[in-house]
Amino acid sequence: VILGQDRWVWSTVKILLHLMKAPHHKLLVFFSTKASTSFFANLFNLSLGRHVLEMHSDLMQNERQVISERFRAAKRIVMFTSDVSSRGMDYPN
């Protein structure tokens, strides 16, 4: 089954909102492009009022390091990222 773009977006949002209901959730969500990472981060942060971190290659290295440290240190957090986080980043439980 292939969903249209609008159904794909809202299906993704519904799944993530459900996962975010867990009391101690720590979610790392990968998107295929920096554009989709930014789109979903803006949707959650601005439209839905749900704070998520955003990491992709348009950010400077020091910004990515700060975001990575915030994600590592937090007990309850969500980070949307592109493939930049899959290259040598370590996120222990």
Side-chain angles (χ1 to χ4, degrees), residues 2-19:
I2 298 174
L3 299 176
Q5 187 170 0
D6 59 331
R7 289 197 59 201
W8 178 82
V9 167
W10 290 114
S11 295
T12 303
V13 168
K14 285 171 60 173
I15 291 168
L16 292 172
L17 288 174
H18 176 73
L19 292 172

Side-chain angles (χ1 to χ4, degrees), residues 16 20 25-31 36-45 50-56 59 63-82 85 91:
L16 292 172
M20 291 169 79
H25 65 266
K26 190 168 192 176
L27 303 173
L28 179 59
V29 183
F30 286 92
F31 291 96
S36 58
T37 303
S38 288
F39 171 81
F40 277 97
N42 287 332
L43 179 64
F44 273 76
N45 286 323
R50 303 289 184 120
H51 178 69
V52 301
L53 300 175
E54 175 183 359
M55 185 185 302
H56 49 71
L59 300 175
E63 291 174 295
R64 292 195 299 259
Q65 287 175 314
V66 168
I67 293 167
S68 290
E69 288 304 317
R70 286 181 61 200
F71 184 79
R72 283 186 192 98
K75 298 272 188 224
R76 184 175 195 253
I77 197 162
V78 178
M79 181 166 71
F80 292 172
T81 184
S82 64
S85 289
Y91 297 111

